[in-house]
Every structure is written in C-alpha cells, then in structure tokens.
Amino acid sequence: MLLTSFALIFLVGLSLAAIFKAIKLPRIIGMLLGGILLGPYVLDFLDSSILNISSELRQMALVIILIKAGLSLNLKDLKKVGRPAILMSFLPAAFEIAACVVFAPILLKVSYAEAAIMGAVLGAVSPAVVVPRMVQLMDEKYGTEKGVPQMILAGASLDDVFVIVLFTAFIGMAQGGSVSVIDFLNIPVAILLGILLGAAVGLALAWFFEACAKRNRPIRSTIKAIVLLAFAFLLLAVESLLDGILSVSGLLAIMSMAIALAMRTKTESTEKMQSKLGKLWLAAEVLLFVLVGAAVDIRYTVEAGGFAVLLIFICLIFRSVAVWLCMLGTKLNKKERLYCVLAYLPKATVQAAIGGVPLSLGLACGNIVLSVAVLSILITAPLGAILMDLTYKKLLKKEEPVPPSPITPEQEQVSN
C-alpha cells in the first residue's frame, strides 16, 4: 500500500500539474488539489504511514530550496541593488505578520500567539513562483538595467529565511506557553550564529572540493550535491542539539553554507550543482505539495471561509504598502515599483513546507493555520504568477544591447 501511495502521489500530482501548466496557472495548484483529492478527507487513497512522515519530507524539500537559493544568490547583485533589497528581505514580511496579529484574533477568534504563528506562515514570498520568473526576466533583459529582478530575487531569498526564523521562535513560544524578551533577543543571535556556522562549513567544503581537483581527483557534481544535502541535514541536527543551550538557525546556516560555497567555486561548477539539485527538486516538489494538500481538512478550510480570505487580502495590502516603502529613495519609476509589489504577492513553497507544522506538533491552532496557509496558496500563487506574466513587458524596460564601438581609421589600419 505504501508503494501504491507513492505511485498515486507522483502520477496524480504530475498529471494535474501538467494540466494547470497548460492553462497558464502555477503547477503547484494542481499538486495541492491532487493531494486534497487523494487525502483522508476526500478519497482516502493514501497510506497513513506516508502522512506520518510528511513533516520530514516537507523539511527535506525546504532544505533543497534553501541550498538552491544560496547557490543562485550573487552577492555582487545584492550589493548592486543595495538598501531596497535588504529592506525587502524583512519589511514586507514584518508588516504582514503585524497585520495578522492585529486582525486574525478579530476575524478568526485565535489568540495573539496563534495569530503570530499564522502571520509567520503567511509572511514569506514563494521562491517556487518568483525565482523562475526573475531568472526569465534576467535572460530577456527586462528591468535588468536598474537591477529589478536581481533585487527581487535577493530580497525574496532572504525573506524566506527571516520568516522561518520568526516562525521557529513563535512555535517555541507557543509550546512553552509564555513570551519573554529573551525569546526575541535570541532571534538576532540565531541569525548571526547561523550565518557564521554555515559560512564556515561552506568555505571548508569549497577548500575540500578545490583540493581534490588540484590532486586530479575532481568530485562529480552529483556527489557534491549529495554532500551538500548531507551537511545541510547535519546543520539542522546541530540546531536541535544546541536547543535550550544556544540559539542557532539551522535553516539560515544552510543558505549561508551554499552562498559561501558559491563564492569560492567556479560559476560552471556551481551551475552544475544547481542543475543536480533542480532534478531532486522535481520529485521533492511533488511530494511537498501533494502531501500538504492531503493534510488539509477541507471542513476547516470551508469553516474558515470568507473571514480567512478577508484576512489574506488585508495582509496582502499591508505587505504591498511595505514593498512600496522599500522602494522610496530609489531610481525606480512608478511602473517598476508596481511590478515589485506584484512580484511579492505569490505564496506557496514556504507555506506548504511549514503550514502543517503546528498541526503536526498538536497545537490547538494547527488546523486553522494549515487551512489559511492553503487558502493563501490557492489565491495568491495564481494571482501573482498571472499578474507578473501579463505585466512585465508593460511595467519594465527592456535593456537594449550595447552597440559595438565604431572602428576608427587607425584601428582599421592596424587590423589590416
């Protein structure tokens, strides 16, 4: 039954993903719907043993996302776009979390602590929707002259880490039943130690790979990708081992490891590792979104209904205002700023990865948090994807190729 369940997950998930892609909607929506259909609350075709390990599978998928984001993030591009990219890495999410803390208790009758958890789940932009489109913009040279896609790519990558760190802190508070100043002071400590630990591991791996290459024993890209995954899991284990002793963000350490490795590795080698991880992501993506859909109790989703949808749109308004504030003082015009707002609408990957965590931990808000997370994916992923695809040629300026310099008579004479 277990193998049959895996077969159904991949066949149904990929089939519905292909259908949604054909009608110009994000593939993940089809996967989510496939999970809802296969799950215990509709057709009940999945073995319970798969659902029992779904949280571990979601975490594996999140690790792959963070490694890919770290390998693709160019620190030179981040320096180029500067202040707005840094602001976009935390300000929109902070505004959205604050809005959720204010309005969720009113609309959904949850506590402020539960509203903070819900806000952290909602707060992240989706790399699965945004990153491929920003890469496309860079390939087609739309907005690249002012660094618009680079800024969005950098901000969105760091935004996910910021939200995940806050989510972890809020979950710890909910489980402990109290909120203290120390809990919030631990957040910057966890961020700093995560960056330092990950950077140290990344530089050590870069040195090891380089040393093997110098000794005519180069390591294949596939092996490098597997080694990266192994060390990523070890970094998560370090976070668990130090829990209660020292705050370290394992997820941020993973991304820092990938960035440090990319800085010390040739571009061609980095791209090959990204390619190998991309192939792993093809399978992880299906498992992630189908299993999230399967965990959704549609009764709670229907019960949340209109108030949950209203909350999602209120949070999006606050988020959009924050993105616009991040653009103040930049050289971007109103159209380019509007595109940045649209690019920060879609949610999917992180919501799928962490949306079911409160439920798996047995928290009272688990069902409602997961239901709101799935509703946010179903609403914002297609909305953001469609708006980005329809508007980028109208809102962004295409960078014109630099014409070759005219050849002077002296240069022509030299060439002859």
Side-chain angles (χ1 to χ4, degrees), residues 27 50 60 84 207 225 259 266 317 324 412:
R27 299 168 67 250
I50 285 187
M60 289 174 63
W207 173 84
I259 293 173
K266 293 181 180 178
I317 292 171
W324 195 272
E412 186 176 1

mmCIF file of all heavy atoms in Angstrom, residues 27 50 60 84 207 225 259 266 317 324 412:
data_model
loop_
_atom_site.group_PDB
_atom_site.id
_atom_site.type_symbol
_atom_site.label_atom_id
_atom_site.label_comp_id
_atom_site.label_asym_id
_atom_site.label_seq_id
_atom_site.Cartn_x
_atom_site.Cartn_y
_atom_site.Cartn_z
ATOM 1 N N ARG A 27 1.927 25.212 -11.525
ATOM 2 C CA ARG A 27 1.809 23.761 -11.389
ATOM 3 C C ARG A 27 1.458 23.338 -9.962
ATOM 4 O O ARG A 27 0.778 22.347 -9.735
ATOM 5 C CB ARG A 27 3.135 23.101 -11.793
ATOM 6 C CG ARG A 27 3.547 23.371 -13.224
ATOM 7 C CD ARG A 27 4.985 22.951 -13.510
ATOM 8 N NE ARG A 27 5.153 21.512 -13.440
ATOM 9 C CZ ARG A 27 5.824 20.888 -12.485
ATOM 10 N NH1 ARG A 27 6.379 21.585 -11.490
ATOM 11 N NH2 ARG A 27 5.935 19.577 -12.489
ATOM 12 N N ILE A 50 2.559 7.254 5.131
ATOM 13 C CA ILE A 50 3.123 8.380 4.382
ATOM 14 C C ILE A 50 2.779 9.696 5.076
ATOM 15 O O ILE A 50 3.619 10.587 5.208
ATOM 16 C CB ILE A 50 2.605 8.380 2.934
ATOM 17 C CG1 ILE A 50 3.289 7.284 2.135
ATOM 18 C CG2 ILE A 50 2.848 9.732 2.264
ATOM 19 C CD1 ILE A 50 2.977 7.299 0.671
ATOM 20 N N MET A 60 12.797 18.193 4.164
ATOM 21 C CA MET A 60 13.784 17.882 3.132
ATOM 22 C C MET A 60 13.612 18.789 1.919
ATOM 23 O O MET A 60 14.592 19.290 1.350
ATOM 24 C CB MET A 60 13.662 16.411 2.711
ATOM 25 C CG MET A 60 14.137 15.425 3.761
ATOM 26 S SD MET A 60 13.821 13.703 3.287
ATOM 27 C CE MET A 60 14.853 13.594 1.820
ATOM 28 N N PRO A 84 17.338 48.743 -0.881
ATOM 29 C CA PRO A 84 15.978 48.209 -1.057
ATOM 30 C C PRO A 84 15.896 46.689 -0.983
ATOM 31 O O PRO A 84 14.914 46.144 -0.485
ATOM 32 C CB PRO A 84 15.556 48.727 -2.439
ATOM 33 C CG PRO A 84 16.811 49.134 -3.116
ATOM 34 C CD PRO A 84 17.732 49.571 -2.039
ATOM 35 N N TRP A 207 37.087 24.507 0.017
ATOM 36 C CA TRP A 207 38.509 24.146 0.085
ATOM 37 C C TRP A 207 38.702 22.663 -0.211
ATOM 38 O O TRP A 207 39.629 22.278 -0.949
ATOM 39 C CB TRP A 207 39.041 24.471 1.483
ATOM 40 C CG TRP A 207 40.445 23.974 1.694
ATOM 41 C CD1 TRP A 207 41.615 24.586 1.348
ATOM 42 C CD2 TRP A 207 40.809 22.704 2.284
ATOM 43 N NE1 TRP A 207 42.690 23.794 1.692
ATOM 44 C CE2 TRP A 207 42.227 22.633 2.259
ATOM 45 C CE3 TRP A 207 40.085 21.653 2.832
ATOM 46 C CZ2 TRP A 207 42.921 21.538 2.768
ATOM 47 C CZ3 TRP A 207 40.775 20.561 3.335
ATOM 48 C CH2 TRP A 207 42.167 20.515 3.310
ATOM 49 N N ALA A 225 26.461 17.640 -4.775
ATOM 50 C CA ALA A 225 25.087 17.956 -4.371
ATOM 51 C C ALA A 225 24.657 17.079 -3.197
ATOM 52 O O ALA A 225 24.013 17.554 -2.249
ATOM 53 C CB ALA A 225 24.134 17.787 -5.548
ATOM 54 N N ILE A 259 25.851 29.902 -0.047
ATOM 55 C CA ILE A 259 26.390 31.167 -0.550
ATOM 56 C C ILE A 259 27.911 31.175 -0.479
ATOM 57 O O ILE A 259 28.596 31.560 -1.433
ATOM 58 C CB ILE A 259 25.809 32.353 0.251
ATOM 59 C CG1 ILE A 259 24.308 32.497 -0.008
ATOM 60 C CG2 ILE A 259 26.520 33.652 -0.104
ATOM 61 C CD1 ILE A 259 23.625 33.532 0.884
ATOM 62 N N LYS A 266 33.909 27.979 -8.961
ATOM 63 C CA LYS A 266 33.709 28.479 -10.317
ATOM 64 C C LYS A 266 32.231 28.437 -10.691
ATOM 65 O O LYS A 266 31.500 27.543 -10.268
ATOM 66 C CB LYS A 266 34.520 27.644 -11.315
ATOM 67 C CG LYS A 266 36.031 27.784 -11.157
ATOM 68 C CD LYS A 266 36.757 26.950 -12.189
ATOM 69 C CE LYS A 266 38.270 27.082 -12.045
ATOM 70 N NZ LYS A 266 39.002 26.242 -13.024
ATOM 71 N N ILE A 317 -2.476 43.728 1.554
ATOM 72 C CA ILE A 317 -2.461 45.193 1.454
ATOM 73 C C ILE A 317 -1.312 45.759 2.290
ATOM 74 O O ILE A 317 -0.549 46.617 1.826
ATOM 75 C CB ILE A 317 -3.812 45.779 1.904
ATOM 76 C CG1 ILE A 317 -4.914 45.415 0.899
ATOM 77 C CG2 ILE A 317 -3.721 47.300 2.050
ATOM 78 C CD1 ILE A 317 -6.313 45.754 1.361
ATOM 79 N N TRP A 324 6.253 49.015 -1.259
ATOM 80 C CA TRP A 324 6.328 50.358 -1.834
ATOM 81 C C TRP A 324 7.259 51.244 -0.996
ATOM 82 O O TRP A 324 8.048 52.014 -1.544
ATOM 83 C CB TRP A 324 4.931 50.973 -1.917
ATOM 84 C CG TRP A 324 4.868 52.183 -2.800
ATOM 85 C CD1 TRP A 324 5.089 53.486 -2.447
ATOM 86 C CD2 TRP A 324 4.589 52.206 -4.208
ATOM 87 N NE1 TRP A 324 4.958 54.315 -3.537
ATOM 88 C CE2 TRP A 324 4.645 53.558 -4.622
ATOM 89 C CE3 TRP A 324 4.271 51.221 -5.139
ATOM 90 C CZ2 TRP A 324 4.401 53.950 -5.948
ATOM 91 C CZ3 TRP A 324 4.035 51.609 -6.449
ATOM 92 C CH2 TRP A 324 4.097 52.949 -6.845
ATOM 93 N N GLU A 412 41.300 50.290 -38.069
ATOM 94 C CA GLU A 412 41.139 49.503 -39.279
ATOM 95 C C GLU A 412 42.477 49.241 -39.942
ATOM 96 O O GLU A 412 42.750 48.138 -40.451
ATOM 97 C CB GLU A 412 40.202 50.231 -40.250
ATOM 98 C CG GLU A 412 39.865 49.416 -41.492
ATOM 99 C CD GLU A 412 38.844 50.144 -42.376
ATOM 100 O OE1 GLU A 412 38.444 51.245 -42.020
ATOM 101 O OE2 GLU A 412 38.470 49.554 -43.400
#
